Amino acid sequence: MEQKELQSIWDKVLENFRNTDKITESECQRWLIPIVPISLTDTNFVLGVSNDFSLHYIKDHYIPFIKAAVLTITRKKVDIDITTTQKESDSEKEENDDKKYEVKIVS
C-alpha cells in the first residue's frame, strides 16, 4: 500500500478519535498525530513513533481505541504493531556505548 493511502487511513482514524469523547484533542495532539503509518495488511497495521517512551505509552493507553477505529474505517480486524522510527547515528551510538562503560574511581 502506498504511503498516501496509509496516511489517508491514519487521518481517518484521527478524525474518528476527534468524533468520540474517549480521547481528548490534547491527547490526540500529543500522542496520536505524531504517529506515522508504516504498513497495513489484512492482519497488521504497523505504526511508527519517535521513541521508546511514546511506544510504550501508546501501547498501554491507546491500542484498543486504534484497533476499533481501524476496524470501523477499513472493515479489517487487525493487530496494531508499533515500532520506533528514530535511528541513532553511528557517532551517537558510539557515544552512548562509551557512556555505558564509564567508570569513575574515587579515592
Side-chain angles (χ1 to χ4, degrees), residues 1 5-19 40 45 65-78:
M1 183 174 287
E5 292 175 272
L6 289 169
Q7 189 60 53
S8 175
I9 290 168
W10 184 244
D11 290 343
K12 290 175 185 173
V13 168
L14 294 173
E15 188 62 33
N16 182 280
F17 291 145
R18 288 185 170 113
N19 292 330
L40 176 64
F45 193 20
F65 300 115
I66 295 172
K67 283 178 103 168
V70 172
L71 177 61
T72 299
I73 292 155
T74 66
R75 305 285 187 237
K76 293 180 182 180
K77 189 174 185 178
V78 297

Side-chain angles (χ1 to χ4, degrees), residues 9-65:
I9 290 168
W10 184 244
D11 290 343
K12 290 175 185 173
V13 168
L14 294 173
E15 188 62 33
N16 182 280
F17 291 145
R18 288 185 170 113
N19 292 330
T20 69
D21 58 354
K22 295 178 182 175
I23 297 174
T24 66
E25 181 62 27
S26 62
E27 287 176 297
C28 215
Q29 290 286 330
R30 177 157 177 92
W31 298 109
L32 303 174
I33 288 175
I35 293 173
V36 176
I38 296 174
S39 67
L40 176 64
T41 67
D42 288 336
T43 58
N44 284 36
F45 193 20
V46 180
L47 304 171
V49 296
S50 61
N51 58 56
D52 287 338
F53 182 80
S54 293
L55 182 148
H56 293 292
Y57 191 88
I58 292 164
K59 278 187 173 183
D60 291 345
H61 294 90
Y62 298 110
I63 292 295
F65 300 115

Side-chain angles (χ1 to χ4, degrees), residues 38 47-52 55 82-94 96:
I38 296 174
L47 304 171
V49 296
S50 61
N51 58 56
D52 287 338
L55 182 148
I82 301 178
T83 186
T84 55
T85 56
Q86 186 176 25
K87 304 281 186 211
E88 284 184 323
S89 69
D90 288 339
S91 62
E92 288 173 325
K93 188 174 184 178
E94 287 174 16
N96 288 336

